[in-house]
Amino acid sequence: MAELGFEVIGVDIDPAKVEILQSGRVPFYEPGLPEVLHRNIAAGRLRFTTSLAEAATAADIHFICVGTPQQSGANAADLSQVFGSIQALAPHLRTGALVVGKSTVPVGTAALLAEQLALTAPAAEVAWNPEFLREGFAVTDTLHPDRLVVGVRSQHAEELLRQVYAPLIDQGVPFLVTDFPTAELVKVAANSFLATKISFINAMAEVCEAAGADITQLAEAIGYDPRIGNQFLAAGLGFGGGCLPKDIRAFMARAGELGAEEALAFLREVDQINLRQRAHTVSLALAALDGSFAGRNVTVLGAAFKPDSDDVRDSPALAVAAAIHNAGGNVVVHDPKALANAARVYPTLTYLEDVTEALAGAELVLHLTEWPEYRELDPAKITSTAKPRHLIDARNRLDPQLWRAAGWTYRALGRPTA
Ligand code: UDX
């Protein structure tokens, strides 16, 4: 928003985070974001505070960007941060203020919040404007989105949001105006479709493996059909992160409450296929080591849920690493950016920042997050003297010939074994 020219105040309840941001640093890894942050703080358009009162009284538009994680022990979303932040904001809202929800919420939440606000801040209004950015591409996706979707109940709200997004609308970004439930559903429908696409190709990978076919060639071949498209067809360890897994589960839970459970029954299968990839990778690893992990040296390449991110929330890579560690393996994990976060979640694994060192004693290497630098590895230079030496490429990105030529067995998900 600051980059688009607005005066922006970021509010967080965590003083440490506010201090880091205010000093021009980003408390997580996101390519391109430090530059944007720096530029806009220096230009005086962006600052950060823990004082909601001070920030809110100065503003016309209030974006709610808090998390909606999965409830512990249930599929549904935990909405406490959304309700809590709007409750805290209400007493400070000016007449005509617009509260714009960006968080991913169960359909019906915006209407509930509007009811609540009508009691506590009747001069303010709610709108819903789902966020579609991908981690690793946050800056580009924000400044060049595929589309903008706004759920509104008044002309006033639509006009304000048209003003906010005018620079993007002028560039031709589609601007869709909907009611509340449609805007809320667009987000979960989009993420469900993406998750389904990944699980579809992973189901095909299972069949390829059974039939001796090659999933990478199959994906390329079907991807040329523009109705299918070639994106999000990378078979492998499956999806993780802070969005896709919890969003499809919360969507199923909400559909159940609405009496539409059957409509989303297929998402249960999408989730199962996805989790099966993790279990399958662990069993391939076990088979490579002749049925026992006890005391065996396993190196895991990648801890983040995807490359270009240090996010380890529901990371498939870490789940596999932890399973092997729990079964007695000596697991060493490497990741270019996510080691500190990974160590907070699984403190008992061994983490090494130097990839050469991490690979030195490996009997089995698992390629679990496809950071580009792993493709640059020269397997002939790995000093491990173990015999035999095994590689499992759970992201189907490494070169089988190269690794086999260097004396490694190469196994991938959904590809022929030799
Ligand atoms: C996702 C949506 O893409 C984004 O629009 C939404 O706003 C938030 O959720 P993100 O979680 O950042 O974004 O990651 P994404 O790039 O979608 O990848 C999700 C997971 O799917 C990753 O674990 C990735 O490794 C996996 N994936 C992706 C595959 O396994 N195969 C693919 O072909 C694509």
Side-chain angles (χ1 to χ4, degrees):
M1 287 298 138
E3 188 78 355
L4 294 182
F6 296 99
E7 198 187 319
V8 180
I9 308 176
V11 185
D12 201 287
I13 56 169
D14 181 346
K17 232 177 237 178
V18 165
E19 199 188 313
I20 293 173
L21 287 163
Q22 190 56 43
S23 72
R25 290 170 295 137
V26 180
F28 50 85
Y29 178 68
E30 181 60 46
L33 192 54
E35 293 80 355
V36 177
L37 188 74
H38 223 260
R39 186 160 58 240
N40 285 284
I41 291 176
R45 286 188 295 265
L46 178 60
R47 64 189 174 86
F48 297 88
T49 178
T50 51
S51 168
L52 179 59
E54 177 224 347
T57 38
D60 305 302
I61 302 188
H62 311 261
F63 284 100
I64 306 294
C65 311
V66 294
T68 53
Q70 187 174 342
Q71 283 177 17
S72 63
N75 265 352
D78 171 356
L79 297 177
S80 56
Q81 295 179 46
V82 174
F83 280 92
S85 57
I86 292 192
Q87 202 175 7
L89 182 62
H92 310 293
L93 292 171
R94 297 205 297 228
T95 300
L98 190 63
V99 177
V100 185
K102 280 229 154 264
S103 310
T104 302
V105 291
V107 58
T109 304
L112 263 180
L113 288 164
E115 255 174 55
Q116 195 182 70
L117 217 57
L119 300 173
T120 50
E125 203 185 331
V126 169
W128 218 261
N129 171 214
E131 179 52 61
F132 303 108
L133 71 79
R134 295 161 297 167
E135 291 182 29
F137 298 90
V139 174
T140 314
D141 285 355
T142 304
L143 297 176
H144 308 282
D146 297 324
R147 76 297 207 190
L148 293 158
V149 177
V150 297
V152 294
R153 282 186 168 169
S154 76
Q155 196 69 34
H156 168 71
E158 181 184 332
E159 274 316 310
L160 275 182
L161 286 165
R162 277 190 189 280
Q163 283 170 29
V164 165
Y165 289 117
L168 304 182
I169 297 169
D170 290 347
Q171 286 168 23
V173 175
F175 185 81
L176 288 94
V177 181
T178 71
D179 54 22
F180 283 177
T182 307
E184 292 166 316
L185 279 174
V186 167
K187 174 62 195 263
V188 279
N191 272 1
S192 297
F193 189 88
L194 295 171
T196 303
K197 207 169 174 192
I198 298 168
S199 278
F200 172 83
I201 204 66
N202 282 332
M204 293 305 113
E206 286 184 50
V207 179
C208 280
E209 220 166 283
D214 188 325
I215 190 61
T216 57
Q217 291 182 330
L218 184 147
E220 185 187 353
I222 64 171
Y224 283 118
D225 182 335
R227 293 168 302 174
I228 295 173
N230 61 7
Q231 290 188 49
F232 262 64
L233 283 183
L237 192 50
F239 58 83
C243 293
L244 261 44
K246 65 105 177 158
D247 284 355
I248 61 169
R249 292 176 194 148
F251 197 16
M252 284 187 273
R254 184 63 183 139
E257 290 167 5
L258 293 169
E261 194 170 3
E262 221 180 320
L264 299 188
F266 74 97
L267 286 180
R268 197 168 305 283
E269 196 58 37
V270 166
D271 200 7
Q272 300 274 304
I273 294 168
N274 190 52
L275 295 176
R276 210 150 64 217
Q277 301 312 304
R278 302 179 189 188
H280 182 48
T281 302
V282 174
S283 40
L284 285 180
L286 190 61
L289 296 179
D290 302 319
S292 172
F293 287 123
R296 308 297 292 276
N297 294 335
V298 179
T299 298
V300 165
L301 296 178
F305 85 102
K306 68 174 198 180
D308 283 323
S309 169
D310 64 357
D311 193 345
V312 298
R313 286 176 297 169
D314 200 356
S315 162
L318 266 190
V320 168
I324 296 175
H325 167 78
N326 291 339
N330 296 329
V331 180
V332 172
V333 181
H334 175 269
D335 189 284
K337 297 288 175 193
L339 291 189
N341 287 339
R344 270 190 282 275
V345 183
Y346 290 111
T348 50
L349 300 178
T350 303
Y351 298 99
L352 289 180
E353 281 181 20
D354 184 308
V355 72
T356 310
E357 212 183 312
L359 288 165
E363 297 171 74
L364 169 65
V365 173
L366 294 165
H367 177 236
L368 304 185
T369 308
E370 69 279 27
W371 285 94
E373 67 185 76
Y374 296 145
R375 288 180 72 151
E376 308 303 318
L377 283 173
D378 181 352
K381 291 197 178 139
I382 296 173
T383 55
S384 164
T385 51
K387 270 200 175 77
R389 301 182 296 183
H390 307 281
L391 169 73
I392 295 177
D393 181 6
R395 292 292 178 183
N396 286 326
R397 293 293 172 96
L398 303 179
D399 180 349
Q401 265 98 43
L402 195 68
W403 284 77
R404 283 183 181 135
W408 292 73
T409 71
Y410 174 95
R411 194 62 219 270
L413 271 58
R415 299 177 80 180
T417 46

